[in-house]
Amino acid sequence: EVGCLLCAIPGFDNTPSRTNQTTHLQSGATLQCCMDDCRAAYPACKSIIFHARYTACYFLDDVAQNSQLVRDEESEFLHWDLDCEV
């Protein structure tokens, strides 16, 4: 079942045990390279979390739209599904 794409949604996953997160790049990442690298790693990577100020990229093994994302406008962590345009 396909829900709505989540693109650049600030916040955090309310149930982190449902999704495995791995650090792809701790610093030096761009949003475009983060998305491109995740797409190349599919299906191990199905969505990303990107932090622009720290230039950090995190891979998730499930799509963001399947998470229980809690939107937090003050969060600098942005969640992206792979089908989002960057």
Side-chain angles (χ1 to χ4, degrees):
E1 181 175 317
V2 176
C4 296
L5 288 177
L6 298 183
C7 303
I9 304 298
F12 57 93
D13 189 343
N14 196 33
T15 57
S17 62
R18 291 184 58 204
T19 303
N20 293 312
Q21 175 181 314
T22 56
T23 302
H24 179 60
L25 292 171
Q26 187 65 35
S27 66
T30 66
L31 176 58
Q32 187 65 57
C33 80
C34 186
M35 288 291 276
D36 290 346
D37 290 353
C38 182
R39 289 177 178 130
Y42 184 87
C45 181
K46 295 183 179 171
S47 63
I48 65 165
I49 301 171
F50 185 73
H51 194 292
R53 184 162 51 99
Y54 296 136
T55 62
C57 173
Y58 305 92
F59 285 1
L60 300 173
D61 67 351
D62 199 358
V63 292
Q65 62 182 319
N66 285 345
S67 68
Q68 293 184 18
L69 188 63
V70 176
R71 190 174 187 122
D72 179 355
E73 295 300 329
E74 295 184 18
S75 176
E76 294 183 57
F77 292 94
L78 300 180
H79 296 253
W80 295 80
D81 281 324
L82 288 186
D83 290 335
C84 297
E85 302 252 348
V86 293

